[in-house]
Amino acid sequence: MSTRHTKTYVLVHGAWHNGRVWDRVVPLLRRAGHRAFAPSLTGHGDKEHLLGPDVGLDTHVADVVAVLVEGDLTGVTLVGHSYAGMVVSAVAAQVPERIAGLVYVDAMVPADGETVLDVIPMTQRLIDAAAASGAPWRIPPMPEGPEPMGLFGVTDPADAAWLRTMLSDESVRCFQQPVRLDNPAMDAIPRTHIHCVGGAAQGVMRRPVPPVQPNGAPSRVRELRSGHDCMITVPRELTALLLDAD
């Protein structure tokens, strides 16, 4: 692993998770000589008590922008997992001058004005199920499935038990609010896509990555033989790809 220069990583978790999901990756990045931050978004982790019907995608974008601005972080490699692909894209549109690179880890990659429902239409099923419940604004975590799906791709019983301690409900608004990517300055930011190819939930289709990045460079797509939550199942392999994401 190269330590040519110190990088700053901000790792953003996906829906239903919290910042602790990166606990196996953060020490590896720091051991390699870099700075790494893994905040929990509003409604999750130490902010779980703030979950409410008004929490949406814009809330989570503001969370991450605050981490960057309040910490005066620049030259950031901004990493988004799953739903957080929406978040980091919008953050890059708001503060492109602070971002050195975007990394989409098995993540949604939206176009301007799209919602989670546009990127993954099967999410409507989760919203419909919530609407039929006593709390129509909140969506519980997706249930565990048979292998190779497991719990977000985690099949080891001990790892799955650990993951369950991090899961909490998501606000419907997070999936319905459109992303705003109307700043052309974000197009200059290099991107890396990391795809987990160990199995996907039924009905989830990954969009193909265009051959050319918005900045004109060839697209960078890497694969991990892992389920969706690769930061739990293959943290060393994921860290190696993050360190290579210039």
Side-chain angles (χ1 to χ4, degrees):
M1 296 181 181
S2 172
T3 56
R4 290 171 296 171
H5 60 278
T6 299
K7 298 180 182 179
T8 299
Y9 291 87
V10 175
L11 311 168
V12 186
H13 64 81
W16 303 293
H17 294 58
N18 68 42
R20 289 175 48 227
V21 77
W22 300 100
D23 277 1
R24 295 177 178 176
V25 172
V26 167
L28 297 175
L29 291 171
R30 291 176 176 169
R31 199 174 304 157
H34 306 293
R35 298 197 297 170
F37 304 88
S40 289
L41 301 175
T42 296
H44 303 280
D46 59 348
K47 300 177 182 176
E48 184 176 350
H49 63 287
L50 298 176
L51 183 67
D54 292 334
V55 172
L57 174 61
D58 283 357
T59 312
H60 293 160
V61 172
D63 288 340
V64 179
V65 170
V67 170
L68 302 185
V69 173
E70 293 171 12
D72 195 21
L73 304 181
T74 57
V76 171
T77 299
L78 187 59
V79 182
H81 175 242
S82 195
Y83 155 77
M86 308 285 292
V87 178
V88 301
S89 296
V91 171
Q94 287 196 21
V95 287
E97 69 280 1
R98 294 184 179 272
I99 312 301
L102 286 170
V103 183
Y104 294 90
V105 179
D106 223 30
M108 303 178 191
V109 185
D112 183 36
E114 287 191 320
T115 68
V116 167
L117 289 167
D118 294 316
V119 181
I120 302 183
M122 64 84 62
T123 310
Q124 184 65 50
R125 298 184 210 163
L126 305 177
I127 295 175
D128 293 343
S133 73
W137 61 269
R138 60 194 302 157
I139 303 174
M142 295 179 68
E144 193 164 353
E147 291 194 33
M149 288 184 292
L151 185 65
F152 294 98
V154 178
T155 56
D156 177 82
D159 285 346
W162 181 53
L163 175 56
R164 287 188 198 99
T165 69
M166 305 177 215
L167 299 180
S168 57
D169 293 351
E170 197 70 60
S171 168
V172 166
R173 188 171 174 81
C174 295
F175 295 167
Q176 294 176 327
Q177 201 162 34
V179 69
R180 291 177 294 197
L181 308 178
D182 53 359
N183 184 352
M186 70 175 293
D187 291 346
I189 300 171
R191 303 180 175 197
T192 299
H193 302 263
I194 298 174
H195 292 166
C196 299
V197 295
Q202 187 175 4
V204 176
M205 299 293 291
R206 180 184 291 123
R207 286 179 169 178
V209 177
V212 178
Q213 300 182 47
N215 65 5
S219 288
R220 290 168 52 91
V221 181
R222 305 292 182 261
E223 291 187 347
L224 278 177
R225 183 62 57 179
S226 166
H228 186 55
D229 279 4
C230 54
M231 67 288 297
I232 291 179
T233 57
V234 289
R236 293 185 180 278
E237 292 85 345
L238 173 59
T239 300
L241 293 181
L242 295 178
L243 292 172
D244 189 48
D246 294 324

